[in-house]
Amino acid sequence: NHKPSLHNKTIAISLIKNTNRLEWFLEKAGEIGVSEIAPLICDRTEKQRFRFERMQSILISAMLQSQQTWLTKLHEPVKFATFIKETTFQQKFIAHCEDVPGKISLSLMSPFTNAAILIGPEGDFTKHEIEMGMENKFVPVSLGITRLRTETAGLVAATLLCNS
């Protein structure tokens, strides 16, 4: 269950088929200071093995490298629908590539205190997932003008959330 603290900044990111890219994201997100990472299983998520212990050790190394006193919390992978229904964040965002009314740049939304952002898989979230996110009060946001890989989108979101 995802019960955030006051200054929680969580990235809920789809698993990606290239494990090295996910590991790279975890390392950088840990260094930047993301509070929690929740791996998501979305409709377009390609099946992959999730080695929790290996991912956890990457976050420990990132914590030591960046001289932080707390460890980014890593969750076990969870289905998209489960995550969006169980979250209690004050600020909830869904980053996607679709053109929908009311979509705004995440860079204009700060400051962030108790925030979660959803990052989709390769090929983006499905229209149904975007609708489900919005029905569960996730605000549609863009992360810039270019189409980003999943791990790059996660890094951009981490940077914006943690440096506000």
Side-chain angles (χ1 to χ4, degrees):
N1 206 357
H2 306 276
K3 298 207 187 306
S5 66
L6 181 60
H7 296 288
N8 186 308
K9 293 167 183 181
T10 294
I11 307 284
I13 187 168
S14 172
L15 292 172
I16 49 181
K17 64 182 174 185
N18 186 328
T19 304
N20 291 336
R21 288 185 177 159
L22 182 62
E23 290 176 356
W24 176 86
F25 163 74
L26 288 172
E27 177 184 70
K28 303 311 172 199
E31 289 177 23
I32 290 169
V34 169
S35 309
E36 298 183 30
I37 297 171
L40 294 177
I41 301 166
C42 305
D43 289 344
R44 292 183 177 142
T45 299
E46 294 195 28
K47 194 157 176 70
Q48 86 156 44
R49 216 169 109 225
F50 185 77
R51 295 175 26 205
F52 187 88
E53 294 77 19
R54 166 114 176 102
M55 304 295 179
Q56 184 73 15
S57 71
I58 289 168
L59 287 171
I60 291 168
S61 294
M63 176 190 72
L64 297 172
Q65 168 66 33
S66 57
Q67 300 181 341
Q68 295 185 59
T69 56
W70 51 270
L71 179 63
T72 300
K73 182 176 181 178
L74 179 64
H75 295 272
E76 288 285 352
V78 63
K79 290 190 176 181
F80 175 85
T82 302
F83 184 86
I84 65 170
K85 289 174 184 162
E86 291 182 358
T87 56
T88 57
F89 294 91
Q90 292 170 349
Q91 296 172 295
K92 302 190 294 188
F93 306 102
I94 181 169
H96 61 81
C97 299
E98 294 290 321
D99 191 19
V100 297
K103 188 172 172 184
I104 189 163
S105 173
L106 186 66
S107 63
L108 301 175
M109 304 293 287
S110 67
F112 304 104
T113 52
N114 179 304
I117 185 164
L118 306 172
I119 304 294
E122 293 146 330
D124 206 2
F125 291 114
T126 63
K127 286 188 186 307
H128 177 68
E129 287 171 328
I130 294 167
E131 289 166 4
M132 277 185 5
M134 291 170 64
E135 285 167 10
N136 283 275
K137 311 262 189 286
F138 281 82
V139 176
V141 294
S142 72
L143 298 173
I145 58 170
T146 59
R147 188 176 193 95
L148 304 172
R149 289 182 184 267
T150 299
E151 70 278 9
T152 308
L155 185 61
V156 169
T159 303
L160 291 171
L161 287 182
C162 293
N163 292 307
S164 69

